[in-house]
Amino acid sequence: MSLEHRPADLARAVFDGLSLVLRDSLAAARTDVDELRLCGGGANSDAWCALIADATGVPTARSSDTELGAKGAFLTGLVRTGAETSMHSAAAKYVRMQRSWEPEPQRAEFYAALYEDFLGWRGLAREAGWRGRATWRGGPAAPGRPAEATGHPVDTTGTAPGGTLV
């Protein structure tokens, strides 16, 4: 980044980075995925749904349903009570998809190369001592996490204003 970059460039870098982390999560899962169904606020952006398809190389789709947590509980209840034989059959019957995006080949190729760069930079960061996860410093330990778990001195007196997540 330089002084020549604009706020839009920074925003794009954030969305690219988040999309590459999704790709990395899929790689870590070590399973074949033929579609990503997106939900939540970000899924309302056609541009981000397309970007995720390009960055992951996997088609994406957005549901027209609302309250997807409740819908998931409903589907689970159908399967657990025997009203449906599987989550797949329950979703096929009760989930309505609004729109889908296929990875655009040239953009998917660009993001595949960018992902390789991402892996290389992450490797260099780890070699330099970056631990690859956030640690809580300067305030009470994060809820449910003992102070000593961070590996850093932590002010547990509660006197630090808010602490800092780094």
Side-chain angles (χ1 to χ4, degrees):
M1 303 286 311
S2 72
L3 294 176
E4 295 173 5
H5 288 94
R6 299 166 293 141
D9 297 318
L10 180 60
R12 181 56 188 248
V14 168
F15 284 105
D16 282 349
L18 290 170
S19 299
L20 290 172
V21 167
L22 288 173
R23 181 184 181 125
D24 198 44
S25 296
L26 290 173
R30 297 185 182 135
T31 186
D32 292 328
V33 176
D34 57 12
E35 180 183 62
L36 293 174
R37 292 192 173 186
L38 308 176
C39 62
N44 290 325
S45 167
D46 289 353
W48 199 15
C49 292
L51 174 60
I52 292 170
D54 293 337
T56 62
V58 177
T60 59
R62 175 177 58 216
S63 174
S64 59
D65 295 327
T66 59
E67 301 299 331
L68 295 175
K71 176 71 69 126
F74 167 70
L75 298 177
T76 301
L78 289 173
V79 173
R80 297 293 291 165
T81 61
E84 289 292 334
T85 59
S86 70
M87 286 297 283
H88 182 75
S89 67
K93 188 172 183 180
Y94 293 102
V95 175
R96 298 178 317 256
M97 300 312 293
Q98 179 187 66
R99 181 154 181 217
S100 61
W101 294 263
E102 292 290 327
E104 195 276 307
Q106 286 183 310
R107 295 187 56 77
E109 186 177 316
F110 168 80
Y111 280 102
L114 195 60
Y115 179 66
E116 293 303 316
D117 289 345
F118 169 85
L119 293 176
W121 283 109
R122 182 174 62 193
L124 289 172
R126 285 186 177 156
E127 288 173 18
W130 182 67
R131 296 177 347 150
R133 65 180 184 271
T135 58
W136 186 259
R137 296 189 210 169
R145 183 176 173 140
E148 60 275 6
T150 65
H152 293 281
V154 175
D155 174 4
T156 58
T157 65
T159 58
T164 305
L165 188 64
V166 295

